[in-house]
Structure formats: structure tokens, C-alpha cells
Amino acid sequence: MFKKILIANRGEIACRVMRTARAMGIKTVAVYSEADADAVHTRMADEAVAIGPAASSESYLVIDKIMAAIRDTGAEAVHPGYGFLSENAEFARALEAAGVAFIGPNVEAIGAMGDKIESKKLAQAANVSTVPGHIGEIADDVEAAKIAGEIGYPVMIKASAGGGGKGMRVAWSEDEVAEGFRLARNEAASSFGDDRIFIEKFIEEPRHIEIQVLADSHGNTIHLGERECSIQRRHQKVIEESPSPFLDAETRAAMGAQAIALAEAVNYRSAGTVEFIVDRDRNFFFLEMNTRLQVEHPVTEMVTGIDLVEQMIRIAAGETLSIRQEDVTQNGWSMEVRVYAEDPLRNFLPSIGRLRRYVEPEQDEQVRVDTGVEEGAEISMFYDPMIAKLVTWGETRDAAIDEMNGALDAYFIRGVQHNMGFVGTVLRQDRYREGRLTTNYIAEEFPDGFSGATLSDDDMAVMAAVAASIQMEDREKRGTITGQANGGLARADEVHWDVWLDERAYGLAASGESGSWLIAPADGDAEAGSLHVTTGWSPGQPLFRAEVGGRQICVQVEREAAGWRLGWQGASVLARVMTGRTASLLALMPIKEPPDLSKFLLSPMPGLLVSVSVEDGQGVKAGEELAVVEAMKMENILRAVQDG
């Protein structure tokens, strides 16, 4: 077994690999850019080597710098994680020449499966069903439009060397082909250094379901069941689960057999994933094979109990697989959500900045957090916007979803915007609960974008009771600290409050003592509308854990202006708790009008200005392209919002 391995990656996946290596008694080496000098993965490793500037093209993607780090530290093997050099045949070839083990597949398999055009030809030869399309390179947008017309709309425009949703566009018309071809080619060149594009039929009502395979160098290949990854945005997976709520045993076995056949056709070794598109009749078609560890691998680990990183290391060390196909079982259900630094309320624009507060949910056998950040860390424009992967397990799919909802409520992140309110909304939808998923789910359920989660009337009443309880606890604690009786207010058996949740008002009466409050309507039938709140919360704590009306809840709490920002079940409300006199005065306060910026085009995120499409003095029409900005590996077109 190896004594020392280098992880040629950063962030959560570098930390993930280090945890398994440490459990196996293997020393680890981290590499880091200038932006990651104080990152968690840099400090977690036994050794760390600086490899260059923040831009990945000058650090994590430079093979010579990684090879130098290997030589300097004496690492015997390299785990590439995912992204960066994980599917780079040249890198694997350099390691082979240097006598360093690659914890991944052989060079030939990487080359064959890394080229989507060639991989489809190999799949066809191995009798693996493939999506109808044009298997070959396309010269320009004119040829692309011609091919798309022959295949029939809609079509999928894809980068041959693509992955992770980069270099991928759906086109529903000839006009969309031209624009999609250009953007996909630019993204492919920027992300992979390869701008080759191909086109295939876009399957309507599709599900994205993939099969995890493991293969050793002794001719043994098995599959570990499937993962459903249909909840996607811009072809980037957002929520994954295992098993799929859609597959039956017969389809699962057939997909597994084809995945194994493809792996054997390229003499595959290590962990890999064969991705399929599945239509509403359970017909499935090969999409691509990822010759690396997948981002969503934890859900497979949670239901099978198999550590995929450990298996990859053992296979790379020449060991024979100790697991047979009949040993593989799927126990219970697992969900994963990708926690991204992005703003769902602004069309999911990337969000960068410092994590000024970062509190993870408690981890146990049912809740797992894979991350490479901590409080005070910077979310940079240079890398992928994923903060963490939140994974849960339950005996049933409903139980796994319930665990996830609870974990999302207890995950406190401030300093950057994030998508947890959005994924929580998806998880609470009836359609999701019923398992009626497609890769178009987000577009269908949120056609006008995401405007925030909403709470039912009953849940809003719970939030009002929480707000009143927070105010009472704060009042009690301030009184203790300052020496004032009850924060300077007269003691009474019952205190009346006007509670405003955004623009919704509640008149409430609070009575009791610290840790135990009875919150009732100030006017009306107290018995009918009262809620008993029991909590151990103290001012300053970010999570208000309580039993409210017999229900265990966890509400996120942060002081904001003259109130509290409360977050629960994906919803965020500003709670202002006031005396009647204060509420009446607040109603008289003038409202500051925001400045008129309608004649300006302001970039909604920091990034690299790729191109400007207009000149000084030029007339433009609403919707016309003005510029292209690249941020967090994606190109974004900035358009005129009105004629000007």
C-alpha cells in the first residue's frame, strides 16, 4: 500500500480524499494556489506545496507544477479528485512515465471516454444504446444549423471534452443553434482547452440516471447501482439521490449490465460512472462515461456502505476487488444537495465574499457534510461556486427528504448568498415528493425564476410566536447583563407585542419565564391560537432550536436593523417585535426611494469581461447583447433591458 499520496485538487474533494487516506494510515500532500494558501485542505494535509497564482490555468491545471510537487515530496501516487486534471490523459501519461501511480483509470480509457464523440462510437460498438445524433466534429454555426435541422429540434449542443454542464446548450430553433454553438464552443475552449462541438437529439421528459462502476486491474468489474441526478439547472446537477424513484429492478439490471460492458470494452480500472438519459417509458441511452470520482458519490456510499475513495486507492495499488456483484446491496435512501454560493433571487448569479458566519448541521449516521471551507474563508471568483455537499440518509425516500429539510434549517451561512432556500423549496414540493422528476424540472416548476420560499398561514403563525419568544429571551438576558429589570421594561405577567413579519402584522401576548413562553393572540380566543414555546436559545446564537406547539423546529436567527432576520423551511422574513407605541411611530417614517438605474447596464457579478458587442453612441434594442462576462467558469450574456 502507498505510504504517501498527493491530491491534485482543492476544496471539499481534496479534504474528502484526505479523510479516507488518513483512515488508511497514508500520509497526504496538498497543492495550493495563492488564493488557497490558508484553505482548509492546505492545512489539513501532512505536507503542502504552493503551485502558483489564483487562476487555475496558472496553478491547478499546470501539469509541470504538479509533477514538480510530486518529485519534491516523494509522493508515490496521485488522486486527482474531479475537475481540473482528473480526466486529462496527458497528466496520467506524465505520471506513468515518472513511475507514479494514478488513482484513476488507465490512459487509454481516459482518452477514449474523455472524447464524447469517440466514446459514443465505442458505446455503439459495445452494443450500448446511444442517443440519435451527429457523431463527428462540426466546423461552424452554419454546419451546426444544417445538422440540427436534419436531426430535428430540439437538439443538444455539447462540447466533446465537456463535463459539469460546461459547454452545453439546448437549442429549439435555428437562431438558438447559432448562439448556442458560439457560447458552447467558447466555454469549451476556456474550460477544457478543446473547442470541438457535436450535436444530438434532445430527449423530452428526460431523466438523468447514472450507474457507478468499480473495476480492478485483474478483470473484475461490478456496478454499485444507480444515482438519479435529474434536478439540474443549466445542466449542472443540484440534487441527487440513490436509488432512483423511477427505476424498476429489470431496468436497473439492464443499465448495470450495459455500464459494465462499456467499462470492460475500454479495459477500465478504478471507479467510474456511466451516465444515461432515460425517457418516460424507461428506455435508456448512453450519454457519457466520467472516468473519475463523481461529485455525487456520497449517496452511493451512504446506501451501499462502500467507501469509493478507499476502493480507488486499493485498485491503484494493484489489489483485487474484495467486493463481488452479489455483495452489493442498496440499503435505505440517500439524498445530496449541492450548496452553491449563488443568489437564486437574482437568477442564480454567482456570489463571492467572505463566510462571516458558517455553522454546519450536526453530523451523524444520517447527516454528512463534505466541505472544504470554514468560517472566515473566502469564496473566490476563480473556482467553482460549490460551498459544500449536504448528504442525508433515511430508511425510506420520505425519511431521507425529511432529514435533508431538517439539516438545511440547521445549516447557517452568512457573508455570501446561497441556494439552500431554493433547494429546500424543491424538496418540499409535492411533485418532488412523488418522484415525478425530469431534467426540465426546475424550468417547468420555476418558469419565471425563483422569488423565494413562502410559508403557510399556520407556519407564519409559528414564526410570529418564535419572534415573540426571541424578543422575550433577549429582553430577559439584556436585563440580566445591564442590571435593569427586564431590560428596562416594567415586569408584568403578560407583555403585549406587535409582531411584523415583513409586511404581515400579528398582535401577540407573551407570558412565562426564560426558556418557556406561552404566546397567545393579544385579542381573541387565547386558548384557540396559543402556542407554547420551549427553548434553550440565548441571544447571539444563530440557531433557535425549540419545541413550538409540540413541534420540534430549528429557525435561523440574525439581528438586522431594528429586528431579526429569521429563516425557516427555506423562507426568510424580517421580524420586527415592537410595543404598540413604537409600531404607530414606525408607520409615520418616510420611505427612501431607490435611485433610477434603468438607463445603466451594471454587471450583476464580478468576473472577466470576455467581450463587448457595442460601441459608444450606438443605438441598441431591448434584449440585444451588450457584453459577455465569465464568472465561476460560466459565460453570461448581459443584454439591454430597454431601447437606448
Side-chain angles (χ1 to χ4, degrees):
M1 182 49 66
F2 309 118
K3 291 183 174 60
K4 183 189 291 187
I5 65 174
L6 181 144
I7 295 92
N9 217 298
R10 65 177 298 279
E12 67 87 11
I13 187 56
C15 296
R16 160 73 188 93
V17 175
M18 289 176 194
R19 281 193 293 272
T20 286
R22 180 177 292 168
M24 296 176 71
I26 301 170
K27 291 187 178 300
T28 58
V29 179
V31 292
Y32 65 92
S33 70
E34 291 174 2
D36 284 336
D38 195 39
V40 174
H41 82 275
T42 305
R43 292 182 282 108
M44 184 176 176
D46 297 293
E47 299 175 61
V49 180
I51 54 171
S56 56
S57 60
E58 299 177 57
S59 52
Y60 295 105
L61 287 171
V62 182
I63 293 173
D64 289 346
K65 292 183 177 181
I66 305 295
M67 297 304 297
I70 295 167
R71 289 192 298 271
D72 292 345
T73 59
E76 304 163 83
V78 172
H79 196 300
Y82 44 69
F84 294 142
L85 298 172
S86 62
E87 295 178 285
N88 188 302
E90 182 185 347
F91 179 51
R93 200 173 286 114
L95 292 172
E96 189 175 57
V100 177
F102 182 60
I103 303 175
N106 54 67
V107 175
E108 293 74 25
I110 294 172
M113 293 295 104
D115 186 319
K116 289 186 173 59
I117 295 172
E118 291 304 312
S119 68
K120 288 185 181 298
K121 293 178 180 177
L122 280 166
Q124 289 175 340
N127 294 319
V128 176
S129 56
T130 58
V131 179
H134 177 81
I135 308 299
E137 294 179 45
I138 300 169
D140 52 34
D141 56 357
V142 175
E143 184 183 3
K146 180 176 180 293
I147 291 168
E150 292 170 354
I151 295 173
Y153 293 101
V155 297
M156 179 73 84
I157 303 164
K158 301 175 76 171
S160 181
K166 310 295 189 299
M168 189 181 296
R169 291 290 190 279
V170 178
W172 298 79
S173 67
E174 186 173 327
D175 289 342
E176 291 185 9
V177 168
E179 181 181 280
F181 182 86
R182 173 171 61 88
L183 291 173
R185 186 160 63 176
N186 289 346
E187 281 183 6
S190 173
S191 298
F192 314 110
D194 182 345
D195 68 354
R196 291 176 302 146
I197 298 295
F198 70 100
I199 295 178
E200 63 188 14
K201 181 69 176 174
F202 178 69
I203 305 297
E204 298 188 67
E205 293 188 41
R207 285 175 176 257
H208 186 127
I209 301 176
E210 58 194 30
I211 301 290
Q212 176 72 58
V213 297
L214 275 179
D216 62 21
S217 54
H218 306 284
N220 303 301
T221 306
I222 63 172
H223 74 85
L224 306 184
E226 81 281 5
R227 295 185 288 259
E228 171 116 19
C229 310
S230 297
I231 305 299
Q232 304 178 6
R233 193 187 62 76
R234 290 181 70 175
H235 313 296
Q236 183 78 49
K237 299 165 187 173
V238 177
I239 303 174
E240 300 105 347
E241 60 183 296
S242 182
S244 164
F246 186 61
L247 293 193
D248 53 27
E250 182 181 354
T251 308
R252 178 177 297 114
M255 291 175 70
Q258 288 203 10
I260 288 173
L262 183 61
E264 291 177 340
V266 293
N267 297 314
Y268 197 80
R269 179 196 71 200
S270 193
T273 300
V274 181
E275 300 193 349
F276 294 92
I277 200 84
V278 184
D279 70 16
R280 58 188 169 194
D281 299 316
R282 294 195 179 92
N283 299 307
F284 57 90
F285 308 95
F286 170 72
L287 275 178
E288 61 182 331
M289 183 176 189
N290 288 304
T291 55
R292 55 171 168 79
L293 192 66
Q294 290 281 89
V295 176
E296 58 272 20
H297 75 274
V299 294
T300 295
E301 294 182 330
M302 294 286 266
V303 297
T304 64
I306 297 169
D307 185 324
L308 289 173
V309 173
E310 178 185 349
Q311 294 302 317
M312 293 178 76
I313 293 172
R314 293 191 181 283
I315 290 167
E319 294 186 11
T320 302
L321 267 179
S322 60
I323 309 162
R324 297 170 297 176
Q325 190 64 61
E326 55 267 30
D327 298 328
V328 179
T329 57
Q330 292 177 313
N331 175 37
W333 217 285
S334 183
M335 319 287 303
E336 174 182 293
V337 303
R338 302 188 186 192
V339 181
Y340 284 120
E342 61 187 13
D343 190 349
L345 300 179
R346 300 174 65 217
N347 197 27
F348 298 91
L349 290 174
S351 177
I352 68 170
R354 184 181 296 275
L355 296 174
R356 57 180 176 82
R357 288 302 305 271
Y358 181 80
V359 181
E360 295 174 355
E362 294 180 6
Q363 299 187 54
D364 53 28
E365 293 182 355
Q366 292 178 278
V367 178
R368 166 177 167 178
V369 181
D370 282 13
T371 188
V373 302
E374 62 188 354
E375 192 162 291
E378 289 281 346
I379 303 299
S380 165
M381 64 177 276
F382 295 105
Y383 310 118
D384 187 276
M386 190 166 67
I387 297 172
K389 301 179 310 197
L390 178 58
V391 191
T392 59
W393 180 90
E395 292 187 358
T396 64
R397 185 169 186 266
D398 281 347
I401 293 173
D402 290 342
E403 284 287 342
M404 181 62 74
N405 287 331
L408 287 168
D409 282 342
Y411 207 152
F412 190 87
I413 297 176
R414 295 295 184 272
V416 298
Q417 301 300 317
H418 55 76
N419 66 330
M420 287 194 288
F422 172 71
V423 294
T425 299
V426 173
L427 290 165
R428 290 180 177 89
Q429 290 184 310
D430 291 341
R431 176 180 169 183
Y432 187 86
R433 279 271 186 184
E434 293 162 6
R436 294 185 288 113
L437 316 179
T438 77
T439 56
N440 302 319
Y441 185 102
I442 290 176
E444 291 167 357
E445 293 296 315
F446 305 93
D448 301 318
F450 180 64
S451 56
T454 57
L455 297 175
S456 68
D457 289 345
D458 287 346
D459 286 344
M460 286 292 281
V462 168
M463 284 284 258
V466 166
S469 300
I470 287 172
Q471 188 73 12
M472 294 298 288
E473 291 291 344
D474 185 63
R475 170 181 178 241
E476 290 285 314
K477 298 301 191 296
R478 280 193 296 114
T480 302
I481 293 169
T482 64
Q484 294 174 303
N486 296 302
L489 298 177
R491 176 174 295 277
D493 292 334
E494 188 174 81
V495 181
H496 286 224
W497 298 110
D498 277 13
V499 178
W500 286 80
L501 300 182
D502 291 334
E503 303 306 316
R504 196 163 172 178
Y506 298 81
L508 297 177
S511 58
E513 59 185 4
S514 183
S516 180
W517 303 103
L518 181 66
I519 311 298
D523 299 306
D525 186 355
E527 289 296 322
S530 63
L531 288 169
H532 188 227
V533 180
T534 305
T535 182
W537 180 82
S538 292
Q541 293 180 348
L543 301 175
F544 182 89
R545 300 180 186 275
E547 181 180 289
V548 182
R551 179 181 179 185
Q552 294 291 338
I553 68 170
C554 178
V555 177
Q556 300 189 3
V557 183
E558 186 177 30
R559 278 200 180 276
E560 182 175 316
W564 310 87
R565 174 64 59 178
L566 305 182
W568 184 44
Q569 296 190 4
S572 175
V573 299
L574 176 60
R576 291 169 294 173
V577 186
M578 302 165 281
T579 62
R581 174 62 174 160
T582 304
S584 64
L585 292 174
L586 184 64
L588 303 176
M589 293 292 288
I591 298 173
K592 184 178 180 180
E593 295 294 336
D596 180 12
L597 299 176
S598 61
K599 293 184 179 180
F600 291 79
L601 177 73
L602 302 178
S603 178
M605 84 287 282
L608 175 69
L609 185 63
V610 176
S611 63
V612 177
S613 310
V614 292
E615 298 176 349
D616 246 357
Q618 177 182 333
V620 296
K621 297 291 184 183
E624 186 174 338
E625 179 181 318
L626 302 183
V628 177
V629 173
E630 181 185 299
M632 290 178 167
K633 302 183 182 180
M634 298 294 281
E635 287 197 352
N636 303 272
I637 297 178
L638 306 185
R639 301 182 186 276
V641 295
Q642 64 181 37
D643 295 353

